[in-house]
Amino acid sequence: MLPGKSRYVRMRLSSERRARVIVLLIVLTGLLPWSGCGDRTPPPLTIAAASSLQPVLEELLPMYAEECACNPRAVYGSSGKLTAQITAGAPYDVFLSAGTGYADTLYARGFGAAAARKFADGYLVAWALDTTPDFHYIPRLSLPGNGRRLRYAIANPVTAPYGLAAEQFLRNTDMWQALQPQLVYGESVGQAAQFVLSGAAGVGYVAQSIPLGLPEGERGRIRRIPASLCPPVPNSALVVVKEGGTHPSAGSFVAFLASPTARRILEKSGYRPG
């Protein structure tokens, strides 16, 4: 063996060992976030919610985040549109729907871990920013005195339960056909409310929770539609089954909706819990 050759061999072997150790550390570091380590940050809890529930969830989610440390977040839209997204594979963990039909359909098609649970009743209201004292929930084709025609905003009855409730109310008052030229449709009840806020419509038939979510001095006039003309709109919660199963916090969030804290906020927002 040449002088110094054994030392060269030892150095080369030592370098190879160091290289293996570095590669192993890189692999282990890459796998660490996916391990069962207790320090792993849990995945976000993504909630698909009817836009009528936005004022409620803006209060509830920060409270629930303190309990679960799961970074809950909400995506809002019409219940029908959110249902279509879930069936197409959207990565939602919980579905909060206005009405019961959409959540029941998802469960029947295998997208729910258990049958949907009703957690509150909501109410349809007539809402206007104009604070004139003669404001009424029955629509008028023109305003007294000047003959000006108002526009009335409702959500799309095909995809939004509050839009369907508004159609039912207008049919029950024999105003549906007469009011057609003055109706403007929002994709969701939230968009119908935006038409009122922007002045594109003078009156909106929306969820009571939406104007109650505004500062008290900015709510305008709110008139709840009598139950004889439009029954309450039930709201249901469904734990969504995705390709990888269910989120570990999804069930506890649905249970949280029945807690005293959640019930108090639901009542403040114009819902009847239960």
Side-chain angles (χ1 to χ4, degrees), residues 34-121:
W34 301 95
S35 71
C37 176
D39 294 333
R40 182 169 66 92
T41 301
L45 176 71
T46 305
I47 301 161
S51 57
S52 52
L53 290 163
Q54 184 169 353
V56 175
L57 292 179
E58 285 179 351
E59 289 194 60
L60 283 182
L61 292 189
M63 297 177 182
Y64 183 69
E66 295 178 0
E67 295 187 10
C68 77
C70 61
N71 188 26
R73 59 190 182 187
V75 176
Y76 301 102
S78 68
S79 297
K81 182 176 181 180
L82 294 172
T83 297
Q85 291 174 353
I86 291 171
T87 57
Y92 302 142
D93 302 302
V94 176
F95 178 41
L96 302 183
S97 173
T100 58
Y102 290 111
D104 289 345
T105 297
L106 285 173
Y107 176 65
R109 296 181 61 182
F111 288 93
R117 178 189 299 182
K118 176 187 164 185
F119 63 91
D121 283 321

Side-chain angles (χ1 to χ4, degrees), residues 177-228:
Q177 293 300 329
L179 211 62
Q180 287 300 309
Q182 294 166 243
L183 288 180
V184 290
Y185 294 91
E187 183 179 282
S188 66
V189 72
Q191 188 176 55
Q194 285 297 323
F195 291 152
V196 177
L197 290 170
S198 68
V203 177
Y205 291 103
V206 300
Q208 183 173 233
S209 57
I210 293 179
L212 289 184
L214 297 173
E216 189 169 353
E218 301 175 16
R219 294 174 183 173
R221 305 286 287 185
I222 305 169
R223 293 287 184 267
R224 183 189 287 188
I225 307 301
S228 59

Side-chain angles (χ1 to χ4, degrees), residues 133-200:
D134 63 344
F135 173 66
H136 198 267
Y137 61 83
I138 299 294
R140 298 174 176 175
L141 296 180
S142 61
L143 294 178
N146 60 16
R148 184 170 66 89
R149 288 181 167 247
L150 281 177
R151 287 192 175 275
Y152 292 84
I154 69 171
N156 183 350
V158 177
T159 57
Y162 278 97
L164 184 60
E167 178 183 343
Q168 179 183 359
F169 158 68
L170 292 173
R171 288 187 183 279
N172 286 339
T173 55
D174 296 323
M175 294 296 297
W176 177 248
Q177 293 300 329
L179 211 62
Q180 287 300 309
Q182 294 166 243
L183 288 180
V184 290
Y185 294 91
E187 183 179 282
S188 66
V189 72
Q191 188 176 55
Q194 285 297 323
F195 291 152
V196 177
L197 290 170
S198 68

